[in-house]
Amino acid sequence: MANVAVVGAQWGDEGKGKIVDWLSQRADVVVRFQGGHNAGHTLVVNGTTYKLSLLPSGVVRGGTRSVIGNGVVVDPWALLQEIDTIRGQGVDVSPKNLVLAENCVLILPLHRELDASREGSNSGVRIGTTKRGIGPAYEDKVGRRAIRVCDLADPESLKVKVRGLLAHHNALRAGFGQGPIDEAGLLAELLAVAPKILPYAGPVWRELDRAREEGKRILFEGAQGTLLDVDHGTYPFVTSSNTLAGQVAVGSGISPAAIGYVLGITKAYTTRVGEGPFPTELTNEVGKRLGERGREFGTVTGRARRCGWFDAVLVRQAIVTGGIDGIALTKLDVLDGLEEIKVCVGYRLGGRTIDYLPAGMSEQARVAPIYETMGGWSESTRGARSWANLNAPAIKYIRRIEELIRAPVALLSTSPERDDTILVHNPFRD
């Protein structure tokens, strides 16, 4: 019996929400292990659309335990608002089915303000963050000055920690020409939210260890994608956490040996939100068509995503660095009706050919894609639930992707609907 980690194998927005929801039918526990509420997962269940940012996708399924691991940075007010929204859609959310790691770092209003100040500044590199304070919260975490969920239970200790945190942030604010933070006001906000958040708090690592001993199936849900990993992504245009499957153990407190299968989610083309390199980006009518047919707008921000051809070089690199065993290929139906489809199989850089994306920012910006052209198809693949429903050119395209990325397709998604999924082999290994 294998526990499964689901990670994005591109720049995020690959359709992880639907795949995790589909797999959660076979799981007892669903765990978020990194990121914050900058990552949006859209689920469509029986015609109802759910948009989640912090809550694990398993929360919409009754009987599944949802866990927010210690690797996630949590805006407590955003979490409570999301819980209220989901409850308004008829989903039960309570401490009975949701647990929040007591050692999660909190995102505070000062983090959001700092994020916005940096993004609006004329100096430095603009990253294109969501301005939700995720990066600054992670900075305070590694700087050992963060406020954590467990601190809310100790008002006297909290007061001392807030004072130490503000000594750092007020100096930063002065550099932006901003006044100091109201210490008493921040403390009052935290004390007010504490009784609403603390009922969900607990030692997640113990709960997951118990679940493993009982033979329960655990599904680990990543946010963003491999190419946004702070170490292995297109730095500095990345998120502030590690997005690879290696983060599962650190971000939840479970043993690395407990991860039995890593599923990488990959679109049949490529998209990216925000700034940074994008070798296969299409700024022509084809790119516009992909964006329109794929409804490529951010779940959280509403920002239009940049679109381009499938980049086998990047996905193969993600598979190697992320230890991905197989992929779930999503949005195949968006390619329906194209006369020809291109796949990037290598790069040209300074007169030479390379088969990987270099680490340097200037080199990443200069690589030019080498394409292989394949025939498209006119028949619709939307809603297909078996290989028999797919046309020959579409199957040929899938098989060629498998060859290029050197990993098998485990699942194939043909629409946002949960059941429009073709299972090739089950990651849970029945």
Side-chain angles (χ1 to χ4, degrees), residues 226 228-235 238-244 359:
T226 297
L228 293 176
D229 184 275
V230 70
D231 285 299
H232 296 281
T234 50
Y235 191 93
V238 292
T239 194
S240 301
S241 61
N242 289 109
T243 61
L244 275 64

Side-chain angles (χ1 to χ4, degrees), residues 88-101:
Q89 293 183 278
V91 177
D92 175 47
V93 183
S94 73
K96 293 181 180 179
N97 63 354
L98 173 67
V99 60
L100 169 66

Side-chain angles (χ1 to χ4, degrees), residues 176-207:
F176 285 104
Q178 299 170 347
I181 294 164
D182 178 7
E183 181 179 328
L186 175 58
L187 190 60
E189 286 186 84
L190 289 171
L191 292 175
V193 81
K196 301 175 183 178
I197 288 293
L198 287 174
Y200 295 96
V204 158
W205 66 271
R206 287 188 63 194
E207 173 146 348

Side-chain angles (χ1 to χ4, degrees), residues 332 379-392 394-395 412 414 420-422:
L332 180 69
E379 301 93 336
S380 175
T381 62
R382 187 175 180 84
R385 297 183 181 182
S386 72
W387 285 106
N389 299 136
L390 297 176
N391 58 74
I395 293 175
L412 182 65
T414 56
D420 291 342
T421 305
I422 299 172

Side-chain angles (χ1 to χ4, degrees), residues 247-325:
Q247 176 65 19
V248 168
V250 178
S252 67
I254 201 165
S255 166
I259 307 164
Y261 190 97
V262 180
L263 181 68
I265 315 301
T266 309
K267 277 179 182 168
Y269 51 102
T270 310
T271 62
R272 175 166 200 168
V273 172
E275 309 297 324
F278 187 168
T280 65
E281 182 173 13
L282 297 170
T283 57
N284 55 15
E285 287 302 312
V286 176
K288 182 179 178 181
R289 173 193 171 108
L290 292 176
E292 291 174 348
R293 286 180 58 87
R295 298 182 180 179
E296 297 297 352
F297 297 93
T299 300
V300 171
T301 64
R303 291 185 296 179
R305 298 177 186 134
R306 300 153 63 190
C307 299
W309 295 120
F310 186 86
D311 192 330
V313 178
L314 288 183
V315 175
R316 184 171 63 244
Q317 192 164 322
I319 285 169
V320 172
T321 58
I324 293 172
D325 297 296

